[in-house]
């Protein structure tokens, strides 16, 4: 049977598969961006998890505190209301799902339904109130270099290889001038999960975009694609670059590594006992939903 809020231990794989299906069924919507809410849902999952600090054990996906100001108003989160609003009808259908499980599960649905790898996912996050909002400044700025990427991602507990693997999510979606100020997609197929981002980084010629907006790159060939300063840092840095080269050549390796690191991202800040308690068999084993 369906889990209820008062009985978190009753969540079976079948219950969460129903939530998965409800998200998957609504993902494609003509008239929204490139025709899918997938990319912005991946970004919501990432921004709700990437606030984690391993030293203070604050932030992370256990709380969905982006529902509240000030976190909802942080500059990095501009535009994510579209993703949160998109998920409200799903929350209404399954009121027993916490927002923090729903947002992370939506990221998994989006990656998988757009052709990416299977992501192991576990329920068990609990929502927290406004006073637990993450402080501003924990998410990366696009106009910075590799030292900033390391400062931000090492704080979450990731290494250089994991930083490069996570960045491949920029195969998806686009920048919006009314959200981040930047403009355009990274790849030619922004609603397909591929390793194209790495190939383009290495093999396109990138020039500064000439405009009044924030500093970003555009491709010389078509002028229709973009890279941020942080994206270009991945090929400038001698420790990051070999991973870009590997993932550009080997999509299977990228998919395998992305699957692991994205699952890890979505669990930042969640106590292990939460996962065990939330599953009907108390095993703490991930569900592979599809
Ligand atoms: Fe990102 N990202 N991201 N990103 N991101 C933006 C959009 C997406 C940075 C900056 C931006 C990750 C890492 C970084 C997605 C997933 C991930 C935008 C445009 C900026 C700016 C926002 C807008 O205008 O709508 C920076 C800097 C970093 C540094 O590492 C990681 C990690 C992930 C996921 C694993 C996705 C998906 C999008 C597209 C969203 C959309 O609405 O299309």
């Amino acid at each position: 049977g369906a889990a209820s809020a008062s009985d978190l231990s009753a969540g079976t794989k079948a219950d969460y598969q129903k939530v998965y299906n409800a998200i998957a069924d609504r993902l494609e919507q003509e008239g929204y961006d490139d025709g899918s809410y997938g990319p912005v849902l991946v970004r919501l999952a990432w921004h709700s998890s990437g606030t984690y600090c391993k030293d203070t054990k604050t932030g992370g996906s256990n709380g969905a505190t982006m529902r509240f100001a000030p976190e909802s108003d942080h500059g990095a989160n501009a535009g994510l209301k579209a993703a949160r609003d998109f998920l409200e009808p799903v929350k209404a259908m399954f009121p027993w799902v916490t927002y923090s499980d729903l947002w992370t599960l939506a990221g998994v649905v989006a990656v998988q339904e757009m052709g990416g790898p299977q992501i192991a996912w576990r329920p068990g996050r609990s929502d927290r109130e406004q006073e637990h909002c993450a402080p501003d400044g924990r998410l990366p700025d696009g106009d910075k270099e590799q030292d900033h990427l390391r400062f931000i991602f090492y704080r979450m507990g990731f290494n250089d290889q994991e930083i490069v693997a996570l960045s491949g999510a920029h195969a998806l979606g686009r920048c919006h001038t009314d959200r981040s100020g930047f403009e355009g997609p990274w790849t030619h197929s922004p609603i397909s999960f591929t390793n194209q981002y790495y190939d383009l980084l290495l093999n396109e010629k990138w020039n500064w975009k000439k405009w009044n907006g924030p500093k970003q790159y555009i491709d010389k060939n078509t002028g229709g694609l973009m890279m941020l300063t942080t994206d270009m840092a991945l090929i400038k840095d001698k420790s990051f670059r070999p991973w870009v080269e590997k993932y550009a050549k080997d999509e299977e390796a990228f998919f395998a590594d992305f699957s692991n690191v994205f699952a890890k991202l979505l669990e930042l800040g969640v106590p292990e006992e939460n996962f065990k308690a939330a599953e009907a068999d108390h095993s703490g084993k991930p569900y592979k939903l599809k």
Side-chain angles (χ1 to χ4, degrees), residues 17 20-21 24 27 38 42 105-121 172 191-193 255 258-259 262 266 287-290:
Q17 184 65 56
Y20 181 111
N21 295 348
L27 217 48
V42 172
L105 178 56
V108 169
V109 175
V111 168
Q112 294 186 178
E113 296 297 311
M114 292 188 288
Q118 183 144 56
I119 315 285
W121 179 86
L172 301 172
I191 61 170
S192 295
F193 193 92
F255 273 32
F258 183 85
S259 172
F262 194 60
L266 301 186
Y287 293 145
K288 293 196 170 176
L289 304 167
K290 57 181 195 295

PDB file of all heavy atoms in Angstrom, residues 17 20-21 24 27 38 42 105-121 172 191-193 255 258-259 262 266 287-290:
ATOM      1  N   GLN A  17       7.759   3.929  -7.729  1.00  0.00           N
ATOM      2  CA  GLN A  17       7.639   3.796  -9.188  1.00  0.00           C
ATOM      3  C   GLN A  17       6.415   4.568  -9.690  1.00  0.00           C
ATOM      4  O   GLN A  17       6.457   5.150 -10.776  1.00  0.00           O
ATOM      5  CB  GLN A  17       7.533   2.309  -9.583  1.00  0.00           C
ATOM      6  CG  GLN A  17       7.513   2.078 -11.095  1.00  0.00           C
ATOM      7  CD  GLN A  17       8.823   2.473 -11.779  1.00  0.00           C
ATOM      8  OE1 GLN A  17       9.894   1.988 -11.426  1.00  0.00           O
ATOM      9  NE2 GLN A  17       8.751   3.380 -12.753  1.00  0.00           N
ATOM     10  N   TYR A  20       7.522   8.119  -9.848  1.00  0.00           N
ATOM     11  CA  TYR A  20       8.403   8.218 -11.023  1.00  0.00           C
ATOM     12  C   TYR A  20       7.559   8.369 -12.290  1.00  0.00           C
ATOM     13  O   TYR A  20       7.788   9.266 -13.110  1.00  0.00           O
ATOM     14  CB  TYR A  20       9.273   6.944 -11.091  1.00  0.00           C
ATOM     15  CG  TYR A  20      10.250   6.902 -12.250  1.00  0.00           C
ATOM     16  CD1 TYR A  20      11.624   6.998 -12.028  1.00  0.00           C
ATOM     17  CD2 TYR A  20       9.816   6.748 -13.579  1.00  0.00           C
ATOM     18  CE1 TYR A  20      12.533   6.959 -13.073  1.00  0.00           C
ATOM     19  CE2 TYR A  20      10.709   6.709 -14.638  1.00  0.00           C
ATOM     20  CZ  TYR A  20      12.068   6.800 -14.374  1.00  0.00           C
ATOM     21  OH  TYR A  20      12.960   6.766 -15.425  1.00  0.00           O
ATOM     22  N   ASN A  21       6.564   7.489 -12.444  1.00  0.00           N
ATOM     23  CA  ASN A  21       5.758   7.492 -13.673  1.00  0.00           C
ATOM     24  C   ASN A  21       4.986   8.803 -13.839  1.00  0.00           C
ATOM     25  O   ASN A  21       4.846   9.303 -14.957  1.00  0.00           O
ATOM     26  CB  ASN A  21       4.774   6.318 -13.664  1.00  0.00           C
ATOM     27  CG  ASN A  21       5.484   4.972 -13.711  1.00  0.00           C
ATOM     28  OD1 ASN A  21       6.684   4.895 -13.972  1.00  0.00           O
ATOM     29  ND2 ASN A  21       4.744   3.903 -13.437  1.00  0.00           N
ATOM     30  N   ALA A  24       7.464  11.284 -15.118  1.00  0.00           N
ATOM     31  CA  ALA A  24       7.860  10.949 -16.497  1.00  0.00           C
ATOM     32  C   ALA A  24       6.762  11.302 -17.491  1.00  0.00           C
ATOM     33  O   ALA A  24       7.036  11.832 -18.574  1.00  0.00           O
ATOM     34  CB  ALA A  24       8.219   9.466 -16.587  1.00  0.00           C
ATOM     35  N   LEU A  27       6.798  15.093 -18.306  1.00  0.00           N
ATOM     36  CA  LEU A  27       8.089  15.726 -18.586  1.00  0.00           C
ATOM     37  C   LEU A  27       8.086  16.571 -19.862  1.00  0.00           C
ATOM     38  O   LEU A  27       8.536  17.708 -19.878  1.00  0.00           O
ATOM     39  CB  LEU A  27       9.143  14.627 -18.690  1.00  0.00           C
ATOM     40  CG  LEU A  27      10.530  14.873 -18.160  1.00  0.00           C
ATOM     41  CD1 LEU A  27      10.518  15.456 -16.758  1.00  0.00           C
ATOM     42  CD2 LEU A  27      11.310  13.546 -18.165  1.00  0.00           C
ATOM     43  N   GLY A  38      12.746  18.364 -18.262  1.00  0.00           N
ATOM     44  CA  GLY A  38      13.854  17.559 -17.768  1.00  0.00           C
ATOM     45  C   GLY A  38      15.058  18.371 -17.284  1.00  0.00           C
ATOM     46  O   GLY A  38      15.503  18.215 -16.140  1.00  0.00           O
ATOM     47  N   VAL A  42      16.660  18.563 -13.407  1.00  0.00           N
ATOM     48  CA  VAL A  42      18.021  18.135 -13.035  1.00  0.00           C
ATOM     49  C   VAL A  42      18.699  19.249 -12.243  1.00  0.00           C
ATOM     50  O   VAL A  42      19.354  19.018 -11.227  1.00  0.00           O
ATOM     51  CB  VAL A  42      18.856  17.771 -14.288  1.00  0.00           C
ATOM     52  CG1 VAL A  42      20.320  17.510 -13.912  1.00  0.00           C
ATOM     53  CG2 VAL A  42      18.266  16.554 -14.986  1.00  0.00           C
ATOM     54  N   LEU A 105      14.225  12.643  -6.704  1.00  0.00           N
ATOM     55  CA  LEU A 105      13.703  11.620  -7.617  1.00  0.00           C
ATOM     56  C   LEU A 105      13.423  12.224  -8.994  1.00  0.00           C
ATOM     57  O   LEU A 105      13.690  11.591 -10.024  1.00  0.00           O
ATOM     58  CB  LEU A 105      12.433  10.978  -7.036  1.00  0.00           C
ATOM     59  CG  LEU A 105      11.754   9.915  -7.905  1.00  0.00           C
ATOM     60  CD1 LEU A 105      12.706   8.773  -8.270  1.00  0.00           C
ATOM     61  CD2 LEU A 105      10.510   9.350  -7.195  1.00  0.00           C
ATOM     62  N   ALA A 106      12.925  13.445  -9.026  1.00  0.00           N
ATOM     63  CA  ALA A 106      12.646  14.101 -10.316  1.00  0.00           C
ATOM     64  C   ALA A 106      13.928  14.262 -11.142  1.00  0.00           C
ATOM     65  O   ALA A 106      13.909  14.134 -12.371  1.00  0.00           O
ATOM     66  CB  ALA A 106      11.990  15.457 -10.083  1.00  0.00           C
ATOM     67  N   GLY A 107      15.049  14.507 -10.469  1.00  0.00           N
ATOM     68  CA  GLY A 107      16.329  14.582 -11.181  1.00  0.00           C
ATOM     69  C   GLY A 107      16.698  13.249 -11.814  1.00  0.00           C
ATOM     70  O   GLY A 107      17.200  13.196 -12.946  1.00  0.00           O
ATOM     71  N   VAL A 108      16.424  12.178 -11.084  1.00  0.00           N
ATOM     72  CA  VAL A 108      16.691  10.826 -11.598  1.00  0.00           C
ATOM     73  C   VAL A 108      15.793  10.529 -12.799  1.00  0.00           C
ATOM     74  O   VAL A 108      16.246  10.052 -13.837  1.00  0.00           O
ATOM     75  CB  VAL A 108      16.459   9.783 -10.480  1.00  0.00           C
ATOM     76  CG1 VAL A 108      16.473   8.364 -11.038  1.00  0.00           C
ATOM     77  CG2 VAL A 108      17.499   9.954  -9.377  1.00  0.00           C
ATOM     78  N   VAL A 109      14.507  10.831 -12.659  1.00  0.00           N
ATOM     79  CA  VAL A 109      13.557  10.603 -13.751  1.00  0.00           C
ATOM     80  C   VAL A 109      14.030  11.356 -15.003  1.00  0.00           C
ATOM     81  O   VAL A 109      14.069  10.801 -16.103  1.00  0.00           O
ATOM     82  CB  VAL A 109      12.139  11.085 -13.373  1.00  0.00           C
ATOM     83  CG1 VAL A 109      11.185  10.946 -14.561  1.00  0.00           C
ATOM     84  CG2 VAL A 109      11.606  10.330 -12.158  1.00  0.00           C
ATOM     85  N   ALA A 110      14.415  12.623 -14.800  1.00  0.00           N
ATOM     86  CA  ALA A 110      14.795  13.468 -15.938  1.00  0.00           C
ATOM     87  C   ALA A 110      16.013  12.896 -16.657  1.00  0.00           C
ATOM     88  O   ALA A 110      16.015  12.769 -17.889  1.00  0.00           O
ATOM     89  CB  ALA A 110      15.059  14.894 -15.458  1.00  0.00           C
ATOM     90  N   VAL A 111      17.047  12.556 -15.898  1.00  0.00           N
ATOM     91  CA  VAL A 111      18.269  12.002 -16.530  1.00  0.00           C
ATOM     92  C   VAL A 111      17.924  10.734 -17.309  1.00  0.00           C
ATOM     93  O   VAL A 111      18.310  10.564 -18.471  1.00  0.00           O
ATOM     94  CB  VAL A 111      19.362  11.719 -15.479  1.00  0.00           C
ATOM     95  CG1 VAL A 111      20.491  10.876 -16.066  1.00  0.00           C
ATOM     96  CG2 VAL A 111      19.916  13.032 -14.911  1.00  0.00           C
ATOM     97  N   GLN A 112      17.191   9.828 -16.659  1.00  0.00           N
ATOM     98  CA  GLN A 112      16.899   8.537 -17.298  1.00  0.00           C
ATOM     99  C   GLN A 112      15.997   8.705 -18.517  1.00  0.00           C
ATOM    100  O   GLN A 112      16.231   8.103 -19.561  1.00  0.00           O
ATOM    101  CB  GLN A 112      16.255   7.574 -16.292  1.00  0.00           C
ATOM    102  CG  GLN A 112      17.223   7.185 -15.173  1.00  0.00           C
ATOM    103  CD  GLN A 112      16.699   6.112 -14.225  1.00  0.00           C
ATOM    104  OE1 GLN A 112      17.406   5.709 -13.317  1.00  0.00           O
ATOM    105  NE2 GLN A 112      15.460   5.641 -14.427  1.00  0.00           N
ATOM    106  N   GLU A 113      14.960   9.525 -18.386  1.00  0.00           N
ATOM    107  CA  GLU A 113      13.992   9.663 -19.480  1.00  0.00           C
ATOM    108  C   GLU A 113      14.575  10.433 -20.671  1.00  0.00           C
ATOM    109  O   GLU A 113      14.074  10.335 -21.782  1.00  0.00           O
ATOM    110  CB  GLU A 113      12.706  10.344 -18.998  1.00  0.00           C
ATOM    111  CG  GLU A 113      11.932   9.546 -17.952  1.00  0.00           C
ATOM    112  CD  GLU A 113      11.427   8.199 -18.452  1.00  0.00           C
ATOM    113  OE1 GLU A 113      10.825   8.157 -19.549  1.00  0.00           O
ATOM    114  OE2 GLU A 113      11.664   7.187 -17.761  1.00  0.00           O
ATOM    115  N   MET A 114      15.635  11.207 -20.431  1.00  0.00           N
ATOM    116  CA  MET A 114      16.291  11.909 -21.544  1.00  0.00           C
ATOM    117  C   MET A 114      17.426  11.076 -22.141  1.00  0.00           C
ATOM    118  O   MET A 114      18.233  11.575 -22.917  1.00  0.00           O
ATOM    119  CB  MET A 114      16.786  13.293 -21.091  1.00  0.00           C
ATOM    120  CG  MET A 114      15.620  14.257 -20.788  1.00  0.00           C
ATOM    121  SD  MET A 114      16.130  15.963 -20.470  1.00  0.00           S
ATOM    122  CE  MET A 114      16.872  15.797 -18.845  1.00  0.00           C
ATOM    123  N   GLY A 115      17.483   9.796 -21.780  1.00  0.00           N
ATOM    124  CA  GLY A 115      18.440   8.888 -22.417  1.00  0.00           C
ATOM    125  C   GLY A 115      19.720   8.670 -21.652  1.00  0.00           C
ATOM    126  O   GLY A 115      20.656   8.049 -22.172  1.00  0.00           O
ATOM    127  N   GLY A 116      19.783   9.141 -20.417  1.00  0.00           N
ATOM    128  CA  GLY A 116      20.991   8.971 -19.608  1.00  0.00           C
ATOM    129  C   GLY A 116      21.023   7.635 -18.901  1.00  0.00           C
ATOM    130  O   GLY A 116      20.136   6.794 -19.085  1.00  0.00           O
ATOM    131  N   PRO A 117      22.054   7.444 -18.073  1.00  0.00           N
ATOM    132  CA  PRO A 117      22.209   6.173 -17.357  1.00  0.00           C
ATOM    133  C   PRO A 117      21.192   6.007 -16.241  1.00  0.00           C
ATOM    134  O   PRO A 117      20.601   6.983 -15.775  1.00  0.00           O
ATOM    135  CB  PRO A 117      23.614   6.297 -16.760  1.00  0.00           C
ATOM    136  CG  PRO A 117      23.812   7.768 -16.570  1.00  0.00           C
ATOM    137  CD  PRO A 117      23.109   8.418 -17.731  1.00  0.00           C
ATOM    138  N   GLN A 118      21.005   4.760 -15.814  1.00  0.00           N
ATOM    139  CA  GLN A 118      20.180   4.498 -14.643  1.00  0.00           C
ATOM    140  C   GLN A 118      20.889   5.029 -13.393  1.00  0.00           C
ATOM    141  O   GLN A 118      22.099   4.898 -13.257  1.00  0.00           O
ATOM    142  CB  GLN A 118      19.951   2.998 -14.503  1.00  0.00           C
ATOM    143  CG  GLN A 118      19.042   2.671 -13.331  1.00  0.00           C
ATOM    144  CD  GLN A 118      18.139   1.490 -13.625  1.00  0.00           C
ATOM    145  OE1 GLN A 118      18.616   0.412 -13.968  1.00  0.00           O
ATOM    146  NE2 GLN A 118      16.845   1.696 -13.483  1.00  0.00           N
ATOM    147  N   ILE A 119      20.110   5.662 -12.521  1.00  0.00           N
ATOM    148  CA  ILE A 119      20.663   6.223 -11.294  1.00  0.00           C
ATOM    149  C   ILE A 119      20.049   5.490 -10.112  1.00  0.00           C
ATOM    150  O   ILE A 119      18.823   5.433  -9.996  1.00  0.00           O
ATOM    151  CB  ILE A 119      20.312   7.732 -11.157  1.00  0.00           C
ATOM    152  CG1 ILE A 119      20.530   8.521 -12.456  1.00  0.00           C
ATOM    153  CG2 ILE A 119      21.062   8.349  -9.967  1.00  0.00           C
ATOM    154  CD1 ILE A 119      21.941   8.825 -12.818  1.00  0.00           C
ATOM    155  N   ALA A 120      20.900   4.967  -9.252  1.00  0.00           N
ATOM    156  CA  ALA A 120      20.396   4.326  -8.028  1.00  0.00           C
ATOM    157  C   ALA A 120      19.868   5.419  -7.104  1.00  0.00           C
ATOM    158  O   ALA A 120      20.541   6.422  -6.872  1.00  0.00           O
ATOM    159  CB  ALA A 120      21.522   3.552  -7.346  1.00  0.00           C
ATOM    160  N   TRP A 121      18.660   5.237  -6.587  1.00  0.00           N
ATOM    161  CA  TRP A 121      18.036   6.274  -5.753  1.00  0.00           C
ATOM    162  C   TRP A 121      17.381   5.627  -4.540  1.00  0.00           C
ATOM    163  O   TRP A 121      16.780   4.559  -4.635  1.00  0.00           O
ATOM    164  CB  TRP A 121      16.989   7.031  -6.580  1.00  0.00           C
ATOM    165  CG  TRP A 121      16.270   8.095  -5.798  1.00  0.00           C
ATOM    166  CD1 TRP A 121      16.696   9.383  -5.604  1.00  0.00           C
ATOM    167  CD2 TRP A 121      15.010   7.978  -5.134  1.00  0.00           C
ATOM    168  NE1 TRP A 121      15.777  10.059  -4.841  1.00  0.00           N
ATOM    169  CE2 TRP A 121      14.741   9.229  -4.531  1.00  0.00           C
ATOM    170  CE3 TRP A 121      14.095   6.933  -4.971  1.00  0.00           C
ATOM    171  CZ2 TRP A 121      13.579   9.463  -3.796  1.00  0.00           C
ATOM    172  CZ3 TRP A 121      12.941   7.162  -4.230  1.00  0.00           C
ATOM    173  CH2 TRP A 121      12.694   8.423  -3.650  1.00  0.00           C
ATOM    174  N   LEU A 172      22.689  19.056 -21.053  1.00  0.00           N
ATOM    175  CA  LEU A 172      21.253  19.352 -20.959  1.00  0.00           C
ATOM    176  C   LEU A 172      20.980  20.835 -20.763  1.00  0.00           C
ATOM    177  O   LEU A 172      21.715  21.521 -20.047  1.00  0.00           O
ATOM    178  CB  LEU A 172      20.658  18.617 -19.759  1.00  0.00           C
ATOM    179  CG  LEU A 172      20.787  17.096 -19.741  1.00  0.00           C
ATOM    180  CD1 LEU A 172      20.331  16.559 -18.388  1.00  0.00           C
ATOM    181  CD2 LEU A 172      19.982  16.476 -20.873  1.00  0.00           C
ATOM    182  N   ILE A 191      17.853  18.352 -24.860  1.00  0.00           N
ATOM    183  CA  ILE A 191      16.966  17.481 -24.080  1.00  0.00           C
ATOM    184  C   ILE A 191      17.347  16.003 -24.253  1.00  0.00           C
ATOM    185  O   ILE A 191      16.539  15.118 -23.990  1.00  0.00           O
ATOM    186  CB  ILE A 191      15.461  17.743 -24.329  1.00  0.00           C
ATOM    187  CG1 ILE A 191      15.059  17.517 -25.767  1.00  0.00           C
ATOM    188  CG2 ILE A 191      15.082  19.167 -23.909  1.00  0.00           C
ATOM    189  CD1 ILE A 191      13.533  17.534 -25.970  1.00  0.00           C
ATOM    190  N   SER A 192      18.601  15.760 -24.677  1.00  0.00           N
ATOM    191  CA  SER A 192      19.137  14.395 -24.703  1.00  0.00           C
ATOM    192  C   SER A 192      20.388  14.334 -23.837  1.00  0.00           C
ATOM    193  O   SER A 192      21.273  15.181 -23.960  1.00  0.00           O
ATOM    194  CB  SER A 192      19.533  13.973 -26.122  1.00  0.00           C
ATOM    195  OG  SER A 192      18.404  13.900 -26.940  1.00  0.00           O
ATOM    196  N   PHE A 193      20.459  13.315 -23.004  1.00  0.00           N
ATOM    197  CA  PHE A 193      21.624  13.148 -22.136  1.00  0.00           C
ATOM    198  C   PHE A 193      22.702  12.390 -22.921  1.00  0.00           C
ATOM    199  O   PHE A 193      22.524  11.226 -23.264  1.00  0.00           O
ATOM    200  CB  PHE A 193      21.234  12.376 -20.873  1.00  0.00           C
ATOM    201  CG  PHE A 193      22.290  12.448 -19.809  1.00  0.00           C
ATOM    202  CD1 PHE A 193      22.252  13.432 -18.839  1.00  0.00           C
ATOM    203  CD2 PHE A 193      23.340  11.538 -19.792  1.00  0.00           C
ATOM    204  CE1 PHE A 193      23.234  13.519 -17.854  1.00  0.00           C
ATOM    205  CE2 PHE A 193      24.325  11.613 -18.817  1.00  0.00           C
ATOM    206  CZ  PHE A 193      24.281  12.601 -17.849  1.00  0.00           C
ATOM    207  N   PHE A 255      28.820   7.670 -18.706  1.00  0.00           N
ATOM    208  CA  PHE A 255      27.530   7.267 -18.134  1.00  0.00           C
ATOM    209  C   PHE A 255      27.741   6.550 -16.789  1.00  0.00           C
ATOM    210  O   PHE A 255      27.029   6.821 -15.818  1.00  0.00           O
ATOM    211  CB  PHE A 255      26.763   6.359 -19.107  1.00  0.00           C
ATOM    212  CG  PHE A 255      25.916   7.123 -20.106  1.00  0.00           C
ATOM    213  CD1 PHE A 255      26.301   8.372 -20.578  1.00  0.00           C
ATOM    214  CD2 PHE A 255      24.730   6.587 -20.589  1.00  0.00           C
ATOM    215  CE1 PHE A 255      25.515   9.074 -21.501  1.00  0.00           C
ATOM    216  CE2 PHE A 255      23.933   7.280 -21.499  1.00  0.00           C
ATOM    217  CZ  PHE A 255      24.325   8.520 -21.961  1.00  0.00           C
ATOM    218  N   PHE A 258      28.976   9.165 -14.244  1.00  0.00           N
ATOM    219  CA  PHE A 258      27.927  10.131 -13.911  1.00  0.00           C
ATOM    220  C   PHE A 258      26.885   9.477 -13.004  1.00  0.00           C
ATOM    221  O   PHE A 258      26.422  10.089 -12.028  1.00  0.00           O
ATOM    222  CB  PHE A 258      27.252  10.701 -15.169  1.00  0.00           C
ATOM    223  CG  PHE A 258      26.230  11.755 -14.828  1.00  0.00           C
ATOM    224  CD1 PHE A 258      26.615  13.080 -14.633  1.00  0.00           C
ATOM    225  CD2 PHE A 258      24.887  11.431 -14.646  1.00  0.00           C
ATOM    226  CE1 PHE A 258      25.690  14.054 -14.256  1.00  0.00           C
ATOM    227  CE2 PHE A 258      23.960  12.399 -14.271  1.00  0.00           C
ATOM    228  CZ  PHE A 258      24.357  13.709 -14.087  1.00  0.00           C
ATOM    229  N   SER A 259      26.521   8.249 -13.327  1.00  0.00           N
ATOM    230  CA  SER A 259      25.524   7.531 -12.538  1.00  0.00           C
ATOM    231  C   SER A 259      25.951   7.475 -11.064  1.00  0.00           C
ATOM    232  O   SER A 259      25.155   7.755 -10.159  1.00  0.00           O
ATOM    233  CB  SER A 259      25.360   6.123 -13.115  1.00  0.00           C
ATOM    234  OG  SER A 259      24.549   5.350 -12.270  1.00  0.00           O
ATOM    235  N   PHE A 262      26.195  11.261  -9.509  1.00  0.00           N
ATOM    236  CA  PHE A 262      24.908  11.933  -9.365  1.00  0.00           C
ATOM    237  C   PHE A 262      24.136  11.307  -8.193  1.00  0.00           C
ATOM    238  O   PHE A 262      23.522  12.022  -7.388  1.00  0.00           O
ATOM    239  CB  PHE A 262      24.111  11.848 -10.672  1.00  0.00           C
ATOM    240  CG  PHE A 262      22.933  12.785 -10.749  1.00  0.00           C
ATOM    241  CD1 PHE A 262      23.099  14.160 -10.650  1.00  0.00           C
ATOM    242  CD2 PHE A 262      21.644  12.302 -10.948  1.00  0.00           C
ATOM    243  CE1 PHE A 262      22.010  15.031 -10.735  1.00  0.00           C
ATOM    244  CE2 PHE A 262      20.548  13.155 -11.037  1.00  0.00           C
ATOM    245  CZ  PHE A 262      20.725  14.522 -10.926  1.00  0.00           C
ATOM    246  N   LEU A 266      22.930  13.374  -4.783  1.00  0.00           N
ATOM    247  CA  LEU A 266      21.537  13.433  -4.308  1.00  0.00           C
ATOM    248  C   LEU A 266      21.381  12.936  -2.870  1.00  0.00           C
ATOM    249  O   LEU A 266      20.320  13.104  -2.278  1.00  0.00           O
ATOM    250  CB  LEU A 266      20.623  12.621  -5.235  1.00  0.00           C
ATOM    251  CG  LEU A 266      20.579  13.054  -6.705  1.00  0.00           C
ATOM    252  CD1 LEU A 266      19.529  12.251  -7.466  1.00  0.00           C
ATOM    253  CD2 LEU A 266      20.311  14.547  -6.872  1.00  0.00           C
ATOM    254  N   TYR A 287      16.753   1.749  -4.858  1.00  0.00           N
ATOM    255  CA  TYR A 287      15.757   1.324  -5.827  1.00  0.00           C
ATOM    256  C   TYR A 287      16.258   1.679  -7.211  1.00  0.00           C
ATOM    257  O   TYR A 287      16.756   2.781  -7.423  1.00  0.00           O
ATOM    258  CB  TYR A 287      14.438   2.066  -5.603  1.00  0.00           C
ATOM    259  CG  TYR A 287      13.729   1.726  -4.308  1.00  0.00           C
ATOM    260  CD1 TYR A 287      13.019   2.700  -3.625  1.00  0.00           C
ATOM    261  CD2 TYR A 287      13.745   0.432  -3.803  1.00  0.00           C
ATOM    262  CE1 TYR A 287      12.337   2.404  -2.450  1.00  0.00           C
ATOM    263  CE2 TYR A 287      13.063   0.120  -2.625  1.00  0.00           C
ATOM    264  CZ  TYR A 287      12.366   1.110  -1.955  1.00  0.00           C
ATOM    265  OH  TYR A 287      11.691   0.826  -0.809  1.00  0.00           O
ATOM    266  N   LYS A 288      16.148   0.765  -8.135  1.00  0.00           N
ATOM    267  CA  LYS A 288      16.421   1.118  -9.530  1.00  0.00           C
ATOM    268  C   LYS A 288      15.082   1.217 -10.241  1.00  0.00           C
ATOM    269  O   LYS A 288      14.515   0.233 -10.689  1.00  0.00           O
ATOM    270  CB  LYS A 288      17.349   0.090 -10.170  1.00  0.00           C
ATOM    271  CG  LYS A 288      18.727   0.153  -9.523  1.00  0.00           C
ATOM    272  CD  LYS A 288      19.794  -0.547 -10.338  1.00  0.00           C
ATOM    273  CE  LYS A 288      21.163  -0.213  -9.749  1.00  0.00           C
ATOM    274  NZ  LYS A 288      22.247  -0.936 -10.423  1.00  0.00           N
ATOM    275  N   LEU A 289      14.575   2.441 -10.306  1.00  0.00           N
ATOM    276  CA  LEU A 289      13.268   2.680 -10.902  1.00  0.00           C
ATOM    277  C   LEU A 289      13.464   2.943 -12.387  1.00  0.00           C
ATOM    278  O   LEU A 289      14.518   3.376 -12.820  1.00  0.00           O
ATOM    279  CB  LEU A 289      12.608   3.870 -10.206  1.00  0.00           C
ATOM    280  CG  LEU A 289      12.488   3.709  -8.685  1.00  0.00           C
ATOM    281  CD1 LEU A 289      12.131   5.026  -8.012  1.00  0.00           C
ATOM    282  CD2 LEU A 289      11.471   2.629  -8.331  1.00  0.00           C
ATOM    283  N   LYS A 290      12.422   2.694 -13.181  1.00  0.00           N
ATOM    284  CA  LYS A 290      12.566   2.981 -14.609  1.00  0.00           C
ATOM    285  C   LYS A 290      11.228   3.255 -15.285  1.00  0.00           C
ATOM    286  O   LYS A 290      10.205   3.014 -14.738  1.00  0.00           O
ATOM    287  CB  LYS A 290      13.293   1.860 -15.329  1.00  0.00           C
ATOM    288  CG  LYS A 290      12.649   0.480 -15.207  1.00  0.00           C
ATOM    289  CD  LYS A 290      13.510  -0.532 -15.950  1.00  0.00           C
ATOM    290  CE  LYS A 290      12.825  -1.846 -16.207  1.00  0.00           C
ATOM    291  NZ  LYS A 290      12.471  -2.652 -15.048  1.00  0.00           N
TER     292      LYS A 290
END
